[in-house]
Amino acid sequence: MWQKSVYAEDLAAAEEALKYAVTGKGDFDHQFRIQTLSGTTRVIGVNQDVTAEVEAGQKLKISEALMSEFVKHAPAAIAMLDRRLKNITVSEEWCSSFGLSDEEVQEDSNVGLLQLQPAAWTEAYPKVLAGESIPRAEDRITDANGKPIWIQWE
């Protein structure tokens, strides 16, 4: 047990602080000394309740997974990009429209596709990355085979 390593004069206060935290009356934010097996003294003081942070992280992962699944199965060509224009998630329809495999989507940015972009996109990037919403009802690009593709974006 951990109590065997705690200095005798620190043990009562450490146990009391633990009881206080276990009963939900507060955080376990207490420092106490221990003696390691090699005889070295260490001060333990990073004992605090991180439940809220762990739960928030779990909720964020669930939310990201749900969003990714929603986009993946959406009946439209959707791509969500990060600030470096790397794919966060894309729909199956996006892959189909641009002839991309799952591997290409995971490995590559959209730089190749974005070379087909209208000039207005280049002008919009800094504004969008700064948080501005700039919707476009219709933009026409041409794929590598000369086929026109109509895109609506925001």
Side-chain angles (χ1 to χ4, degrees):
M1 292 224 118
W2 64 275
Q3 292 97 331
K4 292 180 182 177
S5 300
V6 178
Y7 274 61
E9 52 271 20
D10 293 353
L11 184 58
E15 287 179 329
E16 186 62 30
L18 181 60
K19 284 180 193 175
Y20 185 74
V22 167
T23 59
K25 296 178 181 174
D27 292 337
F28 185 69
D29 188 10
H30 183 76
Q31 293 182 357
F32 55 91
R33 296 169 294 163
I34 63 167
Q35 185 171 16
T36 65
L37 294 176
S38 65
T40 308
T41 298
R42 295 280 185 248
V43 177
I44 305 300
V46 187
N47 293 307
Q48 54 186 322
D49 186 356
V50 294
T51 304
E53 291 84 353
V54 169
E55 288 174 350
Q58 291 169 339
K59 287 179 183 177
L60 179 60
K61 285 181 182 178
I62 291 169
S63 178
E64 288 172 344
L66 286 172
M67 185 261 316
S68 184
E69 283 299 305
F70 175 79
V71 170
K72 180 179 180 181
H73 299 293
I78 300 173
M80 295 181 72
L81 313 177
D82 67 12
R83 292 181 171 269
R84 296 167 296 147
L85 304 178
K86 299 281 185 181
N87 295 315
I88 295 172
T89 188
V90 301
S91 66
E92 292 169 345
E93 185 62 31
W94 175 267
C95 294
S96 175
S97 293
F98 291 102
L100 300 172
S101 67
D102 287 340
E103 293 78 28
E104 289 170 312
V105 168
Q106 295 300 319
E107 296 171 4
D108 198 15
S109 73
N110 286 293
V111 173
L113 293 176
L114 296 175
Q115 290 171 351
L116 309 171
Q117 70 191 358
W121 291 15
T122 305
E123 295 167 11
Y125 289 150
K127 295 175 184 176
V128 170
L129 291 174
E132 187 177 334
S133 177
I134 305 175
R136 282 279 202 254
E138 235 176 31
D139 265 340
R140 181 181 187 265
I141 63 172
T142 307
D143 71 11
N145 298 320
K147 176 185 167 194
I149 300 172
W150 293 94
I151 297 177
Q152 176 185 353
W153 57 274
E154 182 171 344

